[in-house]
Amino acid sequence: MNIQAANALFANGTFSALYKAGFITDKVFLYREVYLWVTAQEQTRRISRNQAVTEAQGKFDRDKRTIWRAMQSFSGTDIVVSPHL
């Protein structure tokens, strides 16, 4: 999912309604916050994505792989690979 679509779903309350109904976990909220924070650091401070991800690790108290997963979740380049190929 790309960030523009996600922001629209957050703005109109769809994600909140899905969360309250139990269809999604709070992970989507964390991932969005991480994505927006890392992107803001890249743009405002002109640092590399790797540096921003490393800093996000400490800020959000999460593993580096989790930060990268959050970045990929909203990049709009999701690739689904079947284990049966």
Side-chain angles (χ1 to χ4, degrees):
M1 169 178 291
N2 69 29
I3 194 65
Q4 289 82 14
N7 285 338
L9 293 172
F10 275 97
N12 70 19
T14 301
F15 273 137
S16 293
L18 290 171
Y19 174 72
K20 288 176 185 174
F23 288 110
I24 61 173
T25 65
D26 59 347
K27 188 185 302 185
V28 71
F29 298 98
L30 171 69
Y31 278 19
R32 178 177 174 259
E33 185 177 352
V34 167
Y35 180 89
L36 293 173
W37 188 87
V38 169
T39 303
Q41 297 307 307
E42 289 177 301
Q43 293 172 356
T44 58
R45 295 175 50 208
R46 303 277 185 207
I47 61 175
S48 70
R49 177 162 286 189
N50 286 335
Q51 180 63 35
V53 166
T54 300
E55 291 179 13
Q57 220 181 322
K59 176 170 176 48
F60 293 98
D61 194 29
R62 300 285 192 239
D63 183 64
K64 193 177 229 178
R65 186 64 210 138
T66 300
I67 304 300
W68 280 114
R69 198 173 301 117
M71 296 305 295
Q72 184 176 358
S73 294
F74 290 108
S75 68
T77 59
D78 295 334
I79 298 172
V80 178
V81 178
S82 171
H84 304 291
L85 290 179

